[in-house]
């Protein structure tokens, strides 16, 4: 965790607050005025939802997610999302800036929160998270001191550490290490998120990772089920879907945004990946 030492900024998501969900915000990235959680949008921060009671239905990157039992859900930066329905929800929504999280946590959370994490009756994690979130909410409601910001960051680190331990498959004292193929695939995934707009060739990733194109392709396909070229396209198309969904950019402009200078090629690639043209996708999911 990184510590800025600055005061915690607070904001009110009125529908959540009125419904009984306490909102905790950590970091610099406050939503702009008119931030409507019931309309498709995306943020630059994480949102950790800790649901204790009631139900919540939301759209997250074009997938419907329903939470109707004690559980946790993490919305990642840049994911398009909006709340569809709230019914007597109780819990917390913790917003925090990505700069506060080490890459180690980011990788673990990305894998562990592929779907909501359900609490079980015998799971001590629920009680631990509730205790920490309650303390965070209490601190946020008090007059801040010089070290309130640092304390909040440490408490957030505690929750993330507990989750990392929950998601980790390696027992304490194990001498086994992450395999070389897993490291290659993990590093490729990180590079992909950073450079997919400009690096469209597998050779560019192979060179950055100091491996052959064939070895990179075999490794990525064995672990993820898809070759490098498809992974590049999937990442580009997902971002294009997001832009079609919540912006008014033209298809041509969106193609440029995700790294395709030829609008015709981009449209054909999108159609191949989704069975819909970009405009058909926009009409089906938004209009």
């Amino acid at each position: 965790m990184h510590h800025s030492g600055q005061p915690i900024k607070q904001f009110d998501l009125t529908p959540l607050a009125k419904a009984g969900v306490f909102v905790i915000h950590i970091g610099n990235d406050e939503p702009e005025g008119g931030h409507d959680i019931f309309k498709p949008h995306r943020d630059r921060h994480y949102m950790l939802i800790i649901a204790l009671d009631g139900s919540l239905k939301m759209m997250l990157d074009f997938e419907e997610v329903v939470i109707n039992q004690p559980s946790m859900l993490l919305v990642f930066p840049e994911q398009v999302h909006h709340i569809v329905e709230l019914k007597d929800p109780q819990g917390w929504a913790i917003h925090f800036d990505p700069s506060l999280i080490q890459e180690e946590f980011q990788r673990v959370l990305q894998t562990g929160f592929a779907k909501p994490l359900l609490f079980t009756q015998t799971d001590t994690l629920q009680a631990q998270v509730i205790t920490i979130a309650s303390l965070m909410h209490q601190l946020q409601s008090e007059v801040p001191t010089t070290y309130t910001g640092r304390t909040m960051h440490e408490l957030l680190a505690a929750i993330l550490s507990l989750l990392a331990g929950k998601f980790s498959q390696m027992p304490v004292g194990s001498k086994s290490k992450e395999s070389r193929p897993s490291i290659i695939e993990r590093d490729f995934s990180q590079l992909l998120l950073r450079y997919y707009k400009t690096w469209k060739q597998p050779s560019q990733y192979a060179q950055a990772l100091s491996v052959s194109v064939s070895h990179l392709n075999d490794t990525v396909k064995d672990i993820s089920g898809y070759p490098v070229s498809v992974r590049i396209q999937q990442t580009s198309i997902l971002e294009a879907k997001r832009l079609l969904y919540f912006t008014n950019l033209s298809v041509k402009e969106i193609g440029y945004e995700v790294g395709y200078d030829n609008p015709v090629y981009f449209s054909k690639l999108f159609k191949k990946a989704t069975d819909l043209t970009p405009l058909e996708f926009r009409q089906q999911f938004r209009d």
Side-chain angles (χ1 to χ4, degrees), residues 1 86 89 97 104 120 123 126 129 149 167 179 209 239-240 270 272:
M1 293 289 294
L86 285 171
D97 193 283
E104 173 191 356
T120 62
D123 194 349
Q126 179 180 10
V129 169
F167 297 141
S179 68
L209 296 171
E239 176 64 10
F270 191 95
K272 181 180 179 181

Coordinates of all heavy atoms in Angstrom, one line a residue, residues 1 86 89 97 104 120 123 126 129 149 167 179 209 239-240 270 272:
M1 N 0.8 -1.2 0.0 CA 0.0 0.0 0.0 C 0.9 1.2 0.0 O 2.0 1.3 0.6 CB -0.9 0.0 1.2 CG -1.9 -1.1 1.3 SD -3.2 -0.8 0.1 CE -4.0 0.7 0.7
L86 N -32.2 -1.7 -6.7 CA -31.9 -1.8 -5.3 C -33.1 -2.2 -4.5 O -34.2 -1.6 -4.7 CB -31.3 -0.4 -4.8 CG -29.9 0.0 -5.2 CD1 -29.7 1.4 -4.7 CD2 -28.9 -0.9 -4.6
P89 N -30.9 -2.7 0.4 CA -29.5 -3.2 0.6 C -28.9 -2.7 1.9 O -29.3 -1.6 2.4 CB -28.8 -2.6 -0.6 CG -29.6 -1.3 -0.9 CD -31.0 -1.6 -0.5
D97 N -8.6 4.7 -4.8 CA -7.8 5.1 -6.0 C -6.8 4.0 -6.3 O -6.2 3.4 -5.4 CB -7.0 6.4 -5.7 CG -6.4 7.0 -6.9 OD1 -5.4 6.5 -7.3 OD2 -6.9 8.0 -7.4
E104 N 0.9 -6.3 -7.0 CA 0.6 -7.7 -6.4 C -0.9 -7.8 -6.1 O -1.5 -8.8 -6.5 CB 1.4 -7.9 -5.2 CG 1.1 -9.2 -4.5 CD 1.8 -9.3 -3.1 OE1 2.5 -8.4 -2.7 OE2 1.5 -10.3 -2.4
T120 N -19.8 -17.5 3.4 CA -20.5 -18.7 4.0 C -20.6 -18.5 5.5 O -19.9 -17.7 6.1 CB -19.6 -19.9 3.7 OG1 -18.4 -19.8 4.3 CG2 -19.4 -20.1 2.2
D123 N -17.5 -18.9 7.4 CA -16.4 -18.1 6.9 C -16.1 -17.0 7.8 O -16.9 -16.1 8.0 CB -16.7 -17.6 5.5 CG -15.5 -17.1 4.8 OD1 -14.4 -17.0 5.4 OD2 -15.5 -16.8 3.6
Q126 N -16.0 -12.9 6.6 CA -17.1 -12.0 6.7 C -17.0 -11.1 8.0 O -17.1 -9.9 7.9 CB -18.5 -12.7 6.7 CG -19.7 -11.8 6.8 CD -21.0 -12.5 6.8 OE1 -21.0 -13.7 6.8 NE2 -22.1 -11.8 6.6
V129 N -14.0 -8.7 7.7 CA -14.3 -7.5 6.8 C -15.3 -6.6 7.4 O -15.1 -5.3 7.3 CB -14.8 -8.1 5.4 CG1 -15.3 -6.9 4.6 CG2 -13.6 -8.8 4.7
G149 N -6.0 9.8 7.3 CA -5.8 9.3 5.9 C -4.9 8.1 6.0 O -5.2 7.0 5.3
F167 N -7.9 -15.7 -1.7 CA -7.8 -16.1 -3.1 C -6.5 -16.9 -3.4 O -6.5 -17.7 -4.4 CB -7.8 -14.9 -4.0 CG -9.0 -14.1 -4.0 CD1 -9.0 -12.7 -4.0 CD2 -10.3 -14.7 -3.9 CE1 -10.2 -11.9 -4.0 CE2 -11.4 -14.0 -3.9 CZ -11.4 -12.6 -3.9
S179 N 4.9 -21.0 -11.6 CA 5.6 -21.6 -12.7 C 5.9 -20.5 -13.8 O 5.4 -19.4 -13.8 CB 4.6 -22.6 -13.4 OG 3.5 -22.0 -14.0
L209 N 8.9 -9.4 -23.7 CA 9.0 -10.5 -22.7 C 10.2 -11.4 -22.9 O 10.5 -12.3 -22.1 CB 7.7 -11.4 -22.7 CG 6.5 -10.6 -22.2 CD1 5.2 -11.5 -22.5 CD2 6.5 -10.2 -20.8
E239 N -13.1 -2.8 -25.1 CA -13.0 -1.3 -24.9 C -14.0 -0.7 -25.9 O -14.6 0.3 -25.6 CB -11.6 -0.8 -25.1 CG -11.4 0.7 -25.0 CD -11.8 1.3 -23.7 OE1 -12.0 0.5 -22.7 OE2 -11.9 2.5 -23.6
A240 N -14.0 -1.2 -27.1 CA -14.9 -0.6 -28.1 C -16.4 -0.8 -27.7 O -17.2 0.2 -27.8 CB -14.7 -1.3 -29.5
F270 N -15.2 -6.3 -35.4 CA -16.2 -6.2 -34.4 C -17.4 -7.2 -34.7 O -17.8 -7.9 -33.8 CB -16.8 -4.8 -34.3 CG -17.6 -4.5 -33.1 CD1 -17.1 -4.0 -31.9 CD2 -19.0 -4.8 -33.1 CE1 -17.8 -3.8 -30.8 CE2 -19.8 -4.6 -32.0 CZ -19.2 -4.1 -30.8
K272 N -17.2 -9.9 -36.5 CA -16.8 -11.2 -36.3 C -16.7 -11.7 -34.9 O -17.1 -12.8 -34.5 CB -15.4 -11.4 -36.9 CG -14.8 -12.8 -36.9 CD -13.4 -12.8 -37.5 CE -12.8 -14.2 -37.4 NZ -11.4 -14.2 -37.9

